[in-house]
């Protein structure tokens, strides 16, 4: 899904910010998933510890061993339940906003990609060089353009034609 852009200033801005949009989306994903990953790793550790402990009723009959194992086992079971609840609570508290924000960034990124893909190869190469890959001076040299005004005019003409033909 993408947005339809009708004006030159908006398409210019969206293309100019494309790389930043991707970084913002990646940060959003990381900020949401990092605490979830931490909780899941803690849960995995607890589950592994539980696997290593013998069941409380299977001690060797030497008194303290069974009680210590039972206490540790019960503590880990409680910890496992707490972690599962924390994961569910985290998802319930954050997922709706996260998915809304993610959709927002995904649509903006998809919009830029839609318009970039509608360009012919030479125009797209110029726009990418102009906005992302080269300095303005390098861009002028590469495309044999003598002044800044002509450079910006060329970019605007490409984008204006793209909007007209869309």
């Amino acid at each position: 899904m993408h947005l339809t852009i009708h004006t030159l200033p908006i398409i210019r801005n969206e293309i100019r910010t494309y790389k930043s949009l991707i970084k913002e989306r990646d940060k959003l994903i990381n900020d949401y998933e990092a605490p979830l990953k931490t909780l899941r790793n803690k849960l995995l550790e607890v589950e592994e510890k539980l696997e290593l402990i013998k069941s409380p009723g299977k001690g060797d009959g030497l008194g303290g061993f069974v009680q210590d194992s039972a206490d540790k086992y019960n503590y880990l079971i409680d910890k496992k339940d707490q972690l599962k609840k924390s994961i569910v609570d985290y998802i319930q508290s954050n997922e709706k906003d996260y998915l809304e924000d993610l959709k927002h960034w995904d649509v903006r990124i998809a919009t830029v990609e839609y318009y970039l893909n509608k360009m012919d190869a030479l125009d797209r190469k110029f726009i990418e060089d102009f906005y992302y890959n080269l300095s303005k001076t390098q861009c002028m040299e590469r495309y044999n353009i003598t002044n800044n005004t002509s450079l910006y005019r060329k970019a605007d003409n490409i984008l204006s034609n793209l909007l007209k033909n869309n």
Side-chain angles (χ1 to χ4, degrees):
M1 183 175 142
H2 67 84
L3 302 171
T4 301
I5 297 176
H6 301 97
T7 61
L8 180 61
I10 298 299
I11 194 167
R12 187 188 306 134
N13 184 61
E14 291 299 283
I15 288 176
R16 182 181 297 126
T17 61
Y18 175 64
K19 300 288 183 177
S20 297
L21 296 173
I22 292 171
K23 287 178 186 171
E24 185 68 22
R25 180 189 61 191
D26 292 346
K27 175 142 180 41
L28 173 71
I29 292 168
N30 187 52
D31 288 353
Y32 174 78
E33 289 182 352
L36 202 51
K37 186 176 182 180
T38 300
L39 288 169
R40 287 182 174 148
N41 285 341
K42 287 179 181 177
L43 179 60
L44 190 61
E45 286 175 23
V46 168
E47 288 173 341
E48 288 172 357
K49 287 178 183 176
L50 279 169
E51 289 292 320
L52 296 175
I53 295 177
K54 294 180 181 177
S55 177
K58 294 185 180 177
D60 59 5
L62 300 176
F65 172 77
V66 172
Q67 188 58 43
D68 289 345
S69 280
D71 290 346
K72 189 171 184 180
Y73 187 80
N74 289 334
Y75 166 78
L76 290 172
I77 291 293
D78 289 344
K79 183 80 171 162
K80 178 180 171 181
D81 292 342
Q82 288 171 355
L83 286 167
K84 283 183 176 183
K85 183 181 180 332
S86 294
I87 290 169
V88 169
D89 289 347
Y90 178 82
I91 291 171
Q92 287 177 344
S93 297
N94 298 292
E95 187 175 51
K96 182 180 179 210
D97 291 338
Y98 164 71
L99 291 175
E100 286 175 8
D101 290 348
L102 185 61
K103 182 179 179 186
H104 169 81
W105 297 115
D106 284 343
V107 168
R108 287 186 68 188
I109 291 166
T111 299
V112 174
E113 290 172 348
Y114 169 79
Y115 284 101
L116 287 173
N117 289 332
K118 300 250 333 156
M119 292 179 194
D120 71 42
L122 294 176
D123 286 348
R124 180 175 178 157
K125 179 69 175 145
F126 175 81
I127 292 295
E128 288 175 342
D129 286 345
F130 180 73
Y131 285 111
Y132 316 124
N133 300 334
L134 303 175
S135 70
K136 300 309 174 229
T137 305
Q138 291 170 323
C139 199
M140 288 170 53
E141 289 171 9
R142 174 173 283 172
Y143 293 96
N144 201 20
I145 296 173
T146 56
N147 64 50
N148 258 354
T149 307
S150 297
L151 184 68
Y152 284 88
R153 189 178 318 114
K154 180 176 175 77
D156 283 353
N157 286 340
I158 291 169
L159 296 177
S160 292
N161 288 335
L162 182 64
L163 291 176
K164 287 178 196 171
N165 297 327
N166 193 25

